[in-house]
Amino acid sequence: MRRKLKSPLPQRHGLDAVRLRTPAESSWATMRDHLVERLPRVDPARIDAMLLEERIVGRNGPITLDAPFVPEEFLWFHRDLPDEAPVPFEIGIVHRDDELVVVDKPHFLATIPRGSHILETALVRLRRDLDLPALSPAHRLDRPTAGLLMFVVRRERRGAYQTLFRDRRVRKTYEAVAPHDPALTLPHTVESRIVKERRVIRAYEEPGPTNAVTHVELLAHRNGLARYRLVPETGRTHQLRVHMNGLGIPILGDDFFPELTEKPLDDFSRPLQLLASTLEFRDPFSGTMRRFTTRRDLQAWTSYEEWASQQWTSSRTEGRT
């Protein structure tokens, strides 16, 4: 197996540099011309500035503004960072050893850098705060969902732990707060077909072979609300939210179901009442059983009035590069 080239640029804000490989054939006269076409969302003037500032490098050093195009060459650079609202919640450390870091992710914090969320992600924060530049996620949680999230400390061990999640050898349980329906018979297993299309924000159910299975159990109820345990056998996008909505008991704070609600990215009020509560698996290296339990609670259950009374206040930050 060919060894992956090491980036000549160090991490910045806990982020690795972007790596591009130029095609074998081309009609571009310069590297600059190729980058302008390759990166259509970046203003050509910004590409020129990055070249002049020596912020784009190849294997032999910085690429100049007039550097001729070289086929099958590697280029590295750091993208400009978007304007992000700081997520005002801490990440709780549940477990840390030489192999794994297990955390309690707060609501509204994305797992990995993507789109509008770069620095304000669990991965970037943990790499920086724990001084673990090689840290990588074993799985992901949706941005609105809180609870247990597992990271691998060493890159060479990442594949084995990620495979546990891929092969469904990790038992995951969740808790949710939603309306109580006394007519609903529980426990109940929901089986359906869930589809998530690219550029369509919500997943949806359609007729066809089952690809999503969730076990729903009632834990307690009071004052028209209930606390549920959800055990997914599969991991489709938005699965728990889709299935709870399909039962007629949408999770409190859900901006996707039953109705799609536009919410500003810096609105941290009334979080989705969904919590990844336990992770259990046999360690692929030691062979021992590992079990982790969240230390978080769902606010709508412990103090519904406090959760319901939250109001949005904007707190935008200056952009960073």
Side-chain angles (χ1 to χ4, degrees):
M1 182 180 295
R2 182 180 297 177
R3 187 175 181 181
K4 184 177 179 180
L5 286 175
K6 183 178 179 181
S7 171
L9 295 176
Q11 286 186 341
R12 183 167 63 99
H13 304 299
L15 291 168
D16 294 324
V18 175
R19 189 186 76 169
L20 298 180
R21 186 179 184 182
T22 60
E25 299 179 359
S26 77
S27 57
W28 301 286
T30 66
M31 286 293 206
R32 184 264 183 196
D33 293 340
H34 171 66
L35 289 168
V36 168
E37 186 171 326
R38 182 80 173 268
L39 305 171
R41 295 184 180 181
V42 181
D43 188 327
R46 182 59 188 148
I47 293 176
D48 291 347
M50 292 174 70
L51 290 168
L52 289 170
E53 295 165 7
E54 298 187 342
R55 293 179 58 179
I56 302 176
V57 303
R59 282 178 286 190
N60 297 316
I63 303 299
T64 61
L65 191 61
D66 59 353
F69 179 83
V70 178
E72 299 185 310
E73 172 63 303
F74 289 95
L75 302 177
W76 289 267
F77 63 92
H78 286 287
R79 294 184 186 275
D80 290 337
L81 298 175
D83 176 21
E84 295 182 71
V87 179
F89 309 112
E90 296 296 321
I91 302 175
I93 305 298
V94 174
H95 172 86
R96 180 180 179 182
D97 60 28
D98 292 339
E99 303 288 345
L100 299 174
V101 174
V102 181
V103 305
D104 257 334
K105 184 185 81 66
H107 298 286
F108 302 110
L109 188 68
T111 298
I112 62 172
R114 185 177 181 184
S116 300
H117 309 289
I118 304 297
L119 296 186
E120 291 299 318
T121 59
L123 177 62
V124 172
R125 277 197 191 181
L126 291 168
R127 280 181 172 177
R128 178 194 64 215
D129 295 347
L130 302 181
D131 192 24
L132 293 173
L135 197 70
S136 55
H139 64 121
R140 301 180 191 180
L141 285 179
D142 288 345
R143 179 176 175 264
T145 304
L148 295 178
L149 186 58
M150 191 169 89
F151 293 84
V152 185
V153 174
R154 294 189 283 170
R155 293 181 193 262
E156 64 271 21
R157 298 282 178 115
R158 175 176 57 188
Y161 288 107
Q162 289 178 336
T163 298
L164 292 177
F165 288 88
R166 184 198 67 191
D167 294 346
R168 302 174 188 170
R169 288 186 281 146
V170 178
R171 177 178 168 81
K172 298 181 286 184
T173 67
Y174 293 75
E175 291 187 12
V177 177
H180 176 237
D181 181 359
L184 192 61
T185 301
L186 296 174
H188 176 70
T189 298
V190 183
E191 300 182 12
S192 71
R193 179 172 182 80
I194 294 178
V195 176
K196 175 64 171 68
E197 298 178 6
R198 291 188 64 186
R199 299 185 179 87
V200 177
I201 191 169
R202 295 193 301 177
Y204 60 90
E205 292 177 294
E206 68 173 17
T210 295
N211 66 2
V213 179
T214 304
H215 304 288
V216 182
E217 177 185 352
L218 177 65
L219 296 177
H221 68 88
R222 63 170 184 253
N223 302 324
L225 293 179
R227 186 166 141 255
Y228 299 90
R229 177 183 290 122
L230 311 178
V231 183
E233 285 191 12
T234 54
R236 312 301 298 186
T237 300
H238 302 159
Q239 176 177 319
L240 302 180
R241 299 159 74 177
V242 168
H243 280 169
M244 290 293 282
N245 182 61
L247 291 173
I249 47 172
I251 300 171
L252 265 61
D254 196 337
D255 296 317
F256 282 11
F257 307 97
E259 299 294 333
L260 181 61
T261 303
E262 293 286 343
K263 192 172 186 178
L265 293 179
D266 58 346
D267 182 352
F268 305 116
S269 63
R270 300 184 185 183
L272 176 71
Q273 294 300 280
L274 180 62
L275 176 69
S277 54
T278 67
L279 290 174
E280 187 173 8
F281 58 93
R282 186 173 297 279
D283 191 280
F285 297 100
S286 68
T288 60
M289 290 299 298
R290 292 202 185 217
R291 191 176 193 276
F292 304 105
T293 303
T294 184
R295 298 169 184 169
R296 293 184 177 273
D297 295 311
L298 288 169
Q299 188 182 33
W301 186 252
T302 58
S303 179
Y304 176 79
E305 293 75 14
E306 184 177 346
W307 175 85
S309 65
Q310 294 178 27
Q311 299 293 324
W312 171 52
T313 55
S314 178
S315 61
R316 300 300 292 173
T317 118
E318 296 296 323
R320 285 160 285 192
T321 60

